[in-house]
Amino acid sequence: MAISSSNWSMPSSTMPSNLRRNRGNWGVRVVELPAADAIQMTVWDTGIGISEEQKACLFQPFTQVDQRLARAYEGIGLGLALAKRIVDLLGGSIELKSEVGKGSRFTVTLPQNMP
């Protein structure tokens, strides 16, 4: 199943807030991985991207890519830390691929038979 900014037809209030704030294109793809007995969800965007330096602390609580007081994006920096903790507790993994100025791709892989 795939959803993207070009075929999204639901009201923006139901869209995940991080995607709604993004100025570029975005998409969500969910696939079953039978050989690995897992489900994989990938969320991508063509937004600002994340540098290698920023990736190192991105999953820490209360951490944001933009640390300035007058930053362009809201939030308190808990979303990715909570997502990582939940994925870890379920026996899964979360992977980030990103390039500054080109966007980011987060891939979550979860076992179908969770603990």
Side-chain angles (χ1 to χ4, degrees), residues 31-33 36-41 83-84 86-94 107-115:
V31 296
E32 182 179 12
L33 304 173
D37 197 27
I39 296 174
Q40 190 172 72
M41 178 178 72
K84 173 113 174 73
I86 291 167
V87 167
D88 288 346
L89 288 170
L90 294 173
S93 64
I94 186 167
T107 300
V108 174
T109 305
L110 295 172
Q112 288 196 23
N113 300 310
M114 294 184 219

Side-chain angles (χ1 to χ4, degrees), residues 33-86:
L33 304 173
D37 197 27
I39 296 174
Q40 190 172 72
M41 178 178 72
T42 301
V43 179
W44 61 269
D45 68 46
T46 58
I48 61 173
I50 301 167
S51 72
E52 290 300 319
E53 178 182 289
Q54 294 164 330
K55 287 179 193 177
C57 61
L58 193 62
F59 293 100
Q60 300 300 315
F62 304 107
T63 300
Q64 293 184 321
V65 169
D66 186 352
Q67 297 287 329
R68 297 173 298 155
L69 277 172
R71 61 185 178 259
Y73 302 100
E74 306 176 339
I76 59 173
L78 281 178
L80 288 174
L82 289 172
K84 173 113 174 73
R85 179 73 175 133
I86 291 167

